[in-house]
Amino acid sequence: MKHNVVNTYLRQSICLIVGLTLLFLLYMNVWGSADMMTVPICISAVFQLVACVAYAFVWKHVAASSPDSLPTLYMTASGCRMFAGIVTVLAYCFSIEDKASIRFFVITFLIYYFIMLIYDTIYFMRVEKGRKVSS
């Protein structure tokens, strides 16, 4: 597997996260309250950025050392991202008392999470399909 595939994933993921963040900021400026929305948008965007960079780093390492383990990596990484997401949401919920802020955070976080999950699934299906065809 070429490192170009991992770099493309990282570049596209970052663009998608930036695009989502800009859409949320536009929403915040037009319809929302900056006080309630800024922190959830920042936490959600940073969480997804860290997850994507970590994913790309591990993917590049596994692809170089044992490419047959890539399908296992995809499932493991998704599970780790889900666990980290649950911990992040629970930490936020326990640290904030305002129910409206918690509700907005959970909705924002889930939108980021599910869009990135869909993107990852589509991207890795294409990569695996291409890898099996070239084998």
Side-chain angles (χ1 to χ4, degrees):
M1 175 180 299
K2 297 179 181 179
H3 292 291
N4 190 26
V5 175
V6 177
N7 292 336
T8 300
Y9 166 76
L10 193 55
R11 186 173 42 255
Q12 289 177 356
S13 295
I14 290 171
C15 288
L16 184 58
I17 293 166
V18 168
L20 280 169
T21 303
L22 291 175
L23 285 174
F24 271 109
L25 291 175
L26 177 65
Y27 175 82
M28 180 180 73
N29 284 327
V30 174
W31 292 289
S33 164
D35 295 339
M36 185 172 68
M37 299 171 85
T38 305
V39 172
I41 293 170
C42 290
I43 291 173
S44 299
V46 169
F47 175 86
Q48 292 301 331
L49 283 171
V50 169
C52 287
V53 169
Y55 203 1
F57 177 75
V58 172
W59 186 16
K60 194 178 280 190
H61 176 71
V62 169
S65 62
S66 60
D68 293 336
S69 300
L70 285 174
T72 304
L73 169 70
Y74 301 147
M75 296 235 305
T76 304
S78 292
C80 289
R81 181 183 280 187
M82 182 176 66
F83 180 72
I86 290 170
V87 169
T88 303
V89 169
L90 288 175
Y92 186 85
C93 290
F94 288 133
S95 66
I96 302 296
E97 294 180 16
D98 181 28
K99 288 187 180 193
S101 295
I102 291 172
R103 189 175 316 123
F104 185 77
F105 174 76
V106 170
I107 291 169
T108 303
F109 193 85
L110 287 175
I111 290 171
Y112 273 93
Y113 184 86
F114 283 124
I115 288 176
M116 292 308 297
L117 181 67
I118 292 167
Y119 168 74
D120 284 353
T121 303
I122 292 169
Y123 190 83
F124 295 125
M125 282 175 40
R126 287 183 186 163
V127 168
E128 278 302 304
K129 184 186 256 185
R131 195 169 77 91
K132 288 181 182 180
V133 169
S134 67
S135 296

